[in-house]
């Protein structure tokens, strides 16, 4: 995309509008950037590598590498126009104390974040900026309908997906088509800022790379979404998570396939649930399941993590996750169900492991889907839905293409024997759930 940059010398700058990038790592169709360009003041883009988050991650985390590379592309695009993207590292409040001394800030523009940490962080920064007489303006960008836009007639929130989807489609259908925000003339601050190396930021590049979006697969999503051996997934997850593609651009493609559109609505459903029920981060959505006596066998959990359970579809999925940072969606359900419903291990253990590994990790979806599988979350189905990994493999990977791809020793003496007996495990789980509900 080509931008016009007005020749604004640093010494002449009176006031600057700051665009704080977070989950919107792009120049095109960025709502906060688009809104900032409506004003007369020149624009400076910034990004903060948040140490409050980074301290929980390894220095070679694949998602950090992906973010760094996306930011570097933005910076290079701006450099062609004489501007830059400035990168900081630290706790957001401490960084903002530096920024307001570095720039004469007129206004700060952000796209909203709905996760508990993001909400708390933004409230803190907003209060700090207000104390400096600086306005923080926020916009809907990461979703099509923000939390609070899809409500029941009595103003309460939906906690079951199907009625939420019906209302979502109704509300969205009444709105005008979302604009794709393009800004052909933007007055960026001119700068010769040098983008820092990964080493300077104390990161190491990851061996795991995020694949490009496979747009062509979206049109056939309904045909192949349950077949892990077909390699027909869209790979949009990480790009949507970090905003290297806008939800509005993706909607254009999603409209060609109703099933894929439904998946986008599922994503927004879980975002709404998390926003209005932040306790689900560490607690069951349905308190009646708080009395489940999880066995939490650490040895079995380790075998699950390593893909050494003796159940091929489960093991193939976990090995794919460990090797690539991705797991096919159907297989995610099966591996999660196996952990909770066959091994009787707390869903929070599995949720945390996925959070470490998934390139497309998004708190709302990860948490929501794990609780859905465990039967403790937003689901109208009863708790006794248990996926059988053997029958699931026969149905969705009948030629064992996916299994053999990730388990080279499959069907040899090197492949482990099953770590549990399925029927006994099922009965044990059903008893544990019944006991919890009768407590």
């Amino acid at each position: 995309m080509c931008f016009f940059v007005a020749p604004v010398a640093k010494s002449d700058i009176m006031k600057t509008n700051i665009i704080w990038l977070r989950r919107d790592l792009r120049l095109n169709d960025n709502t906060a950037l688009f809104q900032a360009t409506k004003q007369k003041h020149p624009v400076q883009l910034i990004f903060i590598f948040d140490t409050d988050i980074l301290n929980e991650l390894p220095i070679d985390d694949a998602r950090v590498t992906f973010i760094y590379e996306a930011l570097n592309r933005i910076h290079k695009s701006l450099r062609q126009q004489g501007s830059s993207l400035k990168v900081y590292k630290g706790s957001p409040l401490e960084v903002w104390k530096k920024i307001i001394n570095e720039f004469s800030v007129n206004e700060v523009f952000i796209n909203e974040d709905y996760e508990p940490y993001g909400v708390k962080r933004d409230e803190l920064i907003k209060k700090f900026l207000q104390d400096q007489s600086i306005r923080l303006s926020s916009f809907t960008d990461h979703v099509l309908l923000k939390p609070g836009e899809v409500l029941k007639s009595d103003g309460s929130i939906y906690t079951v997906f199907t009625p939420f989807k019906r209302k979502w489609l109704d509300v969205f259908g009444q709105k005008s088509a979302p604009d794709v925000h393009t800004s052909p003339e933007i007055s960026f601050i001119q700068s010769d800022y040098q983008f820092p190396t990964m080493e300077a930021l104390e990161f190491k590049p990851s061996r795991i790379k995020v694949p490009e979006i496979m747009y062509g697969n979206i049109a056939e999503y309904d045909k192949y979404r349950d077949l892990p051996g077909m390699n027909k997934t869209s790979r949009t997850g990480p790009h949507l998570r970090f905003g290297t593609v806008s939800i509005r651009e993706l909607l254009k493609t999603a409209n060609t396939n109703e099933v894929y559109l439904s998946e986008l609505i599922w994503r927004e459903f879980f975002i709404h649930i998390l926003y209005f029920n932040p306790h689900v981060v560490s607690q069951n959505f349905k308190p009646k399941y708080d009395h489940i006596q999880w066995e939490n066998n650490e040895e079995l959990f380790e075998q699950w993590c390593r893909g050494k359970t003796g159940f091929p579809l489960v093991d193939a999925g976990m090995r794919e996750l460990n090797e690539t940072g991705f797991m096919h969606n159907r297989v995610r359900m099966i591996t999660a169900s196996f952990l909770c419903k066959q091994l009787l291990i707390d869903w929070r253990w599995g949720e945390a492991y996925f959070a470490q590994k998934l390139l497309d990790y998004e708190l709302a979806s990860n948490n929501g889907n794990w609780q859905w599988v465990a039967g403790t979350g937003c689901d109208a189905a009863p708790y006794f839905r248990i996926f059988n990994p053997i029958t699931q493999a026969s149905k969705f990977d009948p030629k064992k293409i996916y299994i053999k791809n990730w388990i080279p020793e499959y069907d040899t003496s090197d492949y482990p024997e099953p770590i549990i007996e399925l029927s006994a495990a099922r009965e044990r789980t059903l008893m544990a759930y019944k006991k919890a509900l009768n407590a």
Side-chain angles (χ1 to χ4, degrees):
M1 182 177 181
C2 181
F3 295 94
F4 169 76
V5 181
V8 182
K10 187 173 182 179
S11 59
D12 296 331
I13 295 174
M14 297 299 294
K15 289 288 185 178
T16 302
N17 284 335
I18 303 290
I19 314 297
W20 180 14
L21 299 178
R22 292 97 65 81
R23 301 178 64 168
D24 49 358
L25 307 184
R26 63 188 185 279
L27 293 174
N28 190 41
D29 192 19
N30 185 313
T31 309
L33 177 58
F34 175 75
Q35 294 295 331
T37 61
K38 294 181 178 181
Q39 300 195 14
K40 62 181 180 180
H41 301 290
V43 168
Q44 174 67 55
L45 273 70
I46 71 157
F47 181 86
I48 300 172
F49 279 105
D50 187 345
T51 52
D52 294 337
I53 297 173
L54 291 171
N55 289 341
E56 303 293 324
L57 303 175
I59 60 174
D60 64 343
D61 189 278
R63 293 159 296 192
V64 175
T65 298
F66 179 65
I67 291 170
Y68 176 88
E69 292 172 347
L71 294 172
N72 201 7
R73 287 194 296 271
I74 293 173
H75 176 74
K76 288 178 179 179
S77 179
L78 293 175
R79 287 299 303 134
Q80 293 176 2
Q81 309 298 326
S83 188
S84 67
L85 164 67
K86 291 211 68 174
V87 170
Y88 302 85
K89 185 181 180 184
S91 180
L93 180 58
E94 296 307 312
V95 170
W96 273 104
K97 291 177 181 178
K98 297 176 182 178
I99 291 172
I100 64 168
N101 289 322
E102 185 177 351
F103 297 95
S104 179
V105 181
N106 171 67
E107 190 171 348
V108 177
F109 293 78
I110 63 171
N111 290 313
E112 292 169 343
D113 189 339
Y114 307 109
E115 293 184 357
Y117 172 78
V119 171
K120 183 178 180 180
R121 175 202 60 206
D122 291 351
E123 289 175 348
L124 177 67
I125 301 304
K126 183 176 183 178
K127 176 63 168 58
F128 168 73
L129 293 173
Q130 284 177 337
D131 291 343
Q132 316 302 317
S133 299
I134 298 171
R135 180 180 177 184
L136 176 68
S137 296
S138 59
F139 304 92
T140 304
D141 183 80
H142 193 57
V143 295
L144 293 164
L145 295 178
K146 65 187 291 185
E149 287 193 83
V150 183
L151 298 172
K152 297 179 182 179
S153 57
D154 63 359
S156 61
I157 68 169
Y158 287 95
T159 59
V160 177
F161 175 70
T162 299
F164 174 88
K165 178 183 175 180
R166 284 197 295 264
K167 187 60 176 286
W168 191 99
L169 290 169
D170 181 55
V171 173
F172 189 72
Q174 294 178 30
K175 299 181 69 172
S176 57
D179 293 329
V180 175
H181 302 132
T182 56
S183 307
E185 294 189 0
I186 302 177
S187 178
F188 289 110
I189 287 182
Q190 290 192 311
S191 167
D192 58 0
Y193 172 77
Q194 298 297 308
F195 198 78
T197 63
M198 290 197 77
E199 290 73 19
L201 292 167
E202 299 180 307
F203 302 142
K204 289 184 178 180
S206 173
R207 63 173 181 81
I208 297 176
K209 299 299 180 183
V210 174
E212 295 297 320
I213 296 175
M214 301 173 72
Y215 286 101
N217 289 345
I218 295 177
E220 298 181 306
Y221 182 79
D222 58 318
K223 297 179 182 178
Y224 301 108
R225 69 175 182 140
D226 285 322
L227 305 176
M230 295 295 291
N231 193 28
K232 287 284 189 176
T233 55
S234 67
R235 303 300 176 108
T236 53
H239 298 274
L240 191 54
R241 164 68 177 87
F242 296 108
T244 53
V245 64
S246 84
I247 186 65
R248 292 165 296 280
E249 288 280 3
L250 196 55
L251 178 66
K252 292 180 180 179
T253 306
N255 277 332
T256 66
N257 192 288
E258 291 185 6
V259 177
Y260 187 81
L261 175 61
S262 185
E263 292 300 308
L264 295 183
I265 301 174
W266 264 109
R267 172 179 174 269
E268 300 212 352
F269 172 65
F270 284 137
I271 288 173
H272 286 231
I273 290 295
L274 177 62
Y275 182 80
F276 288 111
N277 302 274
H279 70 280
V280 300
V281 172
S282 58
Q283 301 175 46
N284 295 318
F285 178 81
K286 297 176 181 176
K288 65 182 180 180
Y289 291 103
D290 289 347
H291 298 290
I292 297 174
Q293 294 297 307
W294 303 104
E295 294 202 353
N296 293 340
N297 184 303
E298 293 185 5
E299 181 180 349
L300 294 181
F301 179 69
E302 178 64 20
Q303 289 171 297
W304 177 84
C305 291
R306 294 171 56 210
K308 298 284 187 177
T309 70
F311 291 91
L313 194 55
V314 173
D315 293 341
M318 296 307 296
R319 295 186 193 191
E320 180 185 28
L321 175 64
N322 293 332
E323 182 66 25
T324 70
F326 174 80
M327 190 194 296
H328 187 277
N329 285 343
R330 165 60 60 173
V331 185
R332 293 187 197 196
M333 287 194 296
I334 296 163
T335 57
S337 178
F338 185 82
L339 185 76
C340 300
K341 299 288 184 66
Q342 268 100 7
L343 299 185
L344 203 56
I345 291 175
D346 195 327
W347 63 265
R348 282 160 281 227
W349 288 33
E351 195 269 353
Y353 190 78
F354 273 27
Q356 294 174 23
K357 297 290 185 178
L358 283 172
L359 294 174
D360 61 6
Y361 167 70
E362 194 162 27
L363 175 57
S365 294
N366 195 45
N367 181 279
N369 279 308
W370 269 96
Q371 293 219 43
W372 182 88
V373 167
T376 64
C378 305
D379 187 16
Y383 66 86
F384 46 78
R385 177 189 53 216
I386 301 176
F387 292 107
N388 183 311
I390 302 299
T391 58
Q392 290 282 308
S394 297
K395 184 175 181 180
F396 298 114
D397 191 30
K399 296 183 180 179
K400 299 181 175 55
I401 297 172
Y402 179 76
I403 288 171
K404 290 180 179 179
N405 183 51
W406 291 106
I407 308 178
E409 78 277 21
Y410 174 75
D411 223 7
T412 73
S413 59
D414 293 330
Y415 185 63
E417 293 295 320
I419 59 176
I420 58 168
E421 200 280 314
L422 286 178
S423 60
R426 175 185 171 83
E427 291 305 312
R428 178 190 57 181
T429 295
L430 292 176
M431 288 294 293
Y433 273 68
K434 288 176 183 177
K435 183 178 180 180
L437 292 176
N438 293 327

